[in-house]
Every structure is written in structure tokens, then in C-alpha cells.
Amino acid sequence: EADIYQTPRYLVIGTGKKITLECSQTMGHDKMYWYQQDPGMELHLIHYSYGVNSTEKGDLSSESTVSRIRTEHFPLTLESARPSHTSQYLCASSANPYEQYFGPGTRLTVT
Amino acid sequence: DQQVKQNSPSLSVQEGRISILNCDYTNSMFDYFLWYKKYPAEGPTFLISISSIKDKNEDGRFTVFLNKSAKHLSLHIVPSQPGDSAVYFCAASYGDDKIIFGKGTRLHILP
């Protein structure tokens, strides 16, 4: 059973607020990922990490930032939320290149 | 430009019949193909994969077929069950630990 957690599950917040989306996994995976998905669209990789103190930007440009201070924790931060950031954010981790375990996602709405 | 294409946004299949979900790709460098399944309000879960050196992989009711010359793969579900109703994402990787996802196909299993 894969254990990867995301909080909050749903967030409605006003423009200009700073937000942090939490992601934790208990599987000891080195690789972690953040995806952004709009309804009916593909998942787009926005950040990834291959281990502690390693973070890289993904294929889709994002104004968010990430950190990886501990293996199990990979939070995503938006310094100033805007309506264009409204989307679903999915966190994943993996031990091998192909099978990623996903959290339940955070649905963010910026008003 | 989309590298992984799922041209059918939705598909309805009678319970007990075969479900066939299709996927096309453009990048001949992909070396692994995957299918993920997603229920509402949950993250995607890995379903089945196939290496580019194979043309078929079977796991219980699920079989994935790969036609490299046509750059096409398909997922067959036989027999289809009500619990198979979900969104299915086709995905591909070229070995750098990153996965490219399609937009998904929503499968409805009809009673």
C-alpha cells in the first residue's frame, strides 16, 4: 500500500495570499514530483526532486517554488496566489523510473 | 505540442464486454509506456506498463498492446466491470524519470 499524503485537499483563497501545499510520503522514496492538472487536460510536471536538497523545474513553467529538506517532505509554495493558479496539484513519489505513486491531490481555487 | 495523444475523451462500454482505450504518441525515443487509472477525488494509480521492446503485456483482465511502427498503443479490459469506470491516462517515458501524460479517456461501464 502506497502512502503519500497531501494537505489541504481543497483550498479557496484570495488573490495575493501566500500558500503552501503539503506533500509527505512514508515509503522512503528519493524521487518526488509535483504535477498541475486542469479538468480534461493532461498532467503537467512543474517540479521534481531526486533527493534531499535537490529540486528542478519541470516541463511546465510555474511561479511556484519547492523545497526538499527531508526525504519524506516536498512542499510547494506560491508566494502570491492569483486566479491563474486555480488548478489541481498532484504530488507523486517513486522508487523506479516508471511507477509513480500519487497523493489524492489539492484542488486550489484562487478568487 | 502533445507527445502523447488520447483522442477519445470518453468511452461507454456494456458491463462484461471488452473496453479498448487507444493512445498515440509522436516521440520515437520513448522506451516505456504506462497506463494510469484515476477515480474522482483521488490521485492516479499505476495500472500496467510495457517496454518498447515488447508488443504485449498482460496482467489479469488488463492487456496493453504496443505497435511501434504505428506509434500506437491500446489498453484492453476484458471483461469490463463497474469498478472499471474511471479516467484512464496513457503515459510515456524516455528513461529520465519523467513521465509524459495524455489528457485521459473517461470510461463508463454501463449496467
Side-chain angles (χ1 to χ4, degrees), chain A residues 60-77:
Chain A
L60 180 69
S61 176
S62 173
E63 294 169 346
S64 58
T65 59
V66 292
S67 62
R68 190 88 183 275
I69 299 172
R70 303 196 316 265
T71 298
E72 63 271 22
H73 195 214
F74 191 40
L76 180 145
T77 298

Side-chain angles (χ1 to χ4, degrees), chain A residues 88-102:
Chain A
Q88 183 175 41
Y89 293 83
L90 290 157
C91 180
S93 71
S94 71
N96 67 56
Y98 308 113
E99 186 174 348
Q100 295 186 5
Y101 294 92
F102 283 83

Side-chain angles (χ1 to χ4, degrees), chain B residues 91-105:
Chain B
S93 175
Y94 36 73
D96 62 351
D97 295 331
K98 290 188 283 185
I99 297 175
I100 311 295
F101 286 86
K103 291 184 178 181
T105 296

Side-chain angles (χ1 to χ4, degrees), chain A residues 6-10 88-91 102-107, chain B residues 41-43:
Chain A
Q6 290 186 245
T7 57
R9 294 291 310 276
Y10 304 91
Q88 183 175 41
Y89 293 83
L90 290 157
C91 180
F102 283 83
T106 294
R107 187 165 295 281
Chain B
E42 295 183 13

Side-chain angles (χ1 to χ4, degrees), chain A residues 12-42:
Chain A
V12 180
I13 200 161
T15 297
K17 300 290 186 182
K18 177 180 178 179
I19 59 170
T20 297
L21 307 184
E22 301 288 348
C23 176
S24 295
Q25 51 99 0
T26 59
M27 296 168 282
H29 291 164
D30 285 327
K31 300 179 181 70
M32 295 190 74
Y33 313 83
W34 275 104
Y35 292 87
Q36 184 175 341
Q37 186 198 16
D38 293 322
M41 301 298 288
E42 56 268 66

Side-chain angles (χ1 to χ4, degrees), chain A residues 9-10 88 104 107, chain B residues 37-44 85-87 106:
Chain A
R9 294 291 310 276
Y10 304 91
Q88 183 175 41
R107 187 165 295 281
Chain B
K37 176 179 179 179
K38 185 180 185 299
Y39 291 120
E42 295 183 13
S85 292
V87 177
R106 184 176 299 277

